[in-house]
């Protein structure tokens, strides 16, 4: 069954001097402030589209990797995944780097690397971001 998740943003003012609020409608987890300075300079307690993409990508990748490992008979004990999304003002998103460390009993490094590469290629967020270079570092704990 298909699902749809929703969020909305209210923006006030110009790009560089304005600000907005992102509201997570589906989950009801609240609101987060956004602004151009928090996107292009320092976060200063506000989020950005790139941070939201990083959250989506790290969680989706973790789910895909867990599913693949479990399907291969080696379910993970723990996966720690980070996603770093690089934004260059005037250019856009220039890359995403995934880093994962896994605790997977009975699995060797080569098999973990292969499973991580498969998850990187096939998680729905990676597929949605195919216009962006995605790199990966994967290791067992």
């Amino acid at each position: 069954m298909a699902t749809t998740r929703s969020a909305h943003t209210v923006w006030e003012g110009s790009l560089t001097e304005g600000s907005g609020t992102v509201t997570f409608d589906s989950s009801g987890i609240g609101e987060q402030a956004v602004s151009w300075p928090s996107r292009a300079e320092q976060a200063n307690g506000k989020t950005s589209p790139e941070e939201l993409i990083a959250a989506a990508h790290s969680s989706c990748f973790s789910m895909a990797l867990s599913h693949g490992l479990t399907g291969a008979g080696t379910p993970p004990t723990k996966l720690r995944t980070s996603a770093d999304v690089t934004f260059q003002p005037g250019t856009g998103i220039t890359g995403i780097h995934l880093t994962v460390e896994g605790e997977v009993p009975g699995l060797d490094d080569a098999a973990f690397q292969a499973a991580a590469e498969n998850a990187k290629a096939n998680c729905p967020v990676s597929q949605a971001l195919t216009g962006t270079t995605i790199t990966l570092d994967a290791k067992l704990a």
Side-chain angles (χ1 to χ4, degrees):
M1 175 164 70
T3 59
T4 301
R5 300 293 184 251
S6 301
H8 75 272
T9 300
V10 175
W11 187 268
E12 296 178 356
S14 68
L15 172 62
T16 57
E17 295 173 8
S19 63
T21 303
V22 177
T23 302
F24 299 91
D25 299 322
S26 299
S27 63
I29 61 172
E31 300 176 336
Q32 292 294 317
V34 295
S35 70
W36 177 254
S38 69
R39 182 178 192 186
E41 298 165 18
Q42 295 296 316
N44 293 320
K46 298 176 183 171
T47 194
S48 69
E50 291 73 29
E51 185 177 39
L52 298 172
I53 289 170
H57 206 175
S58 66
S59 60
C60 183
F61 172 87
S62 294
M63 290 180 202
L65 181 54
S66 177
H67 180 68
L69 290 167
T70 300
T74 53
T77 303
K78 186 181 287 187
L79 299 171
R80 289 177 210 82
T81 304
S82 63
D84 299 311
V85 178
T86 303
F87 173 74
Q88 177 64 47
T91 301
I93 294 173
T94 58
I96 300 171
H97 185 71
L98 297 169
T99 304
V100 61
E101 182 177 88
E103 295 176 19
V104 189
L107 193 69
D108 65 22
D109 188 62
F112 185 69
Q113 295 288 329
E117 286 292 341
N118 185 57
K120 180 186 88 158
N122 293 303
C123 94
V125 172
S126 288
Q127 291 179 346
L129 299 171
T130 57
T132 303
T133 301
I134 302 170
T135 56
L136 171 67
D137 284 327
K139 69 177 182 175
L140 290 170

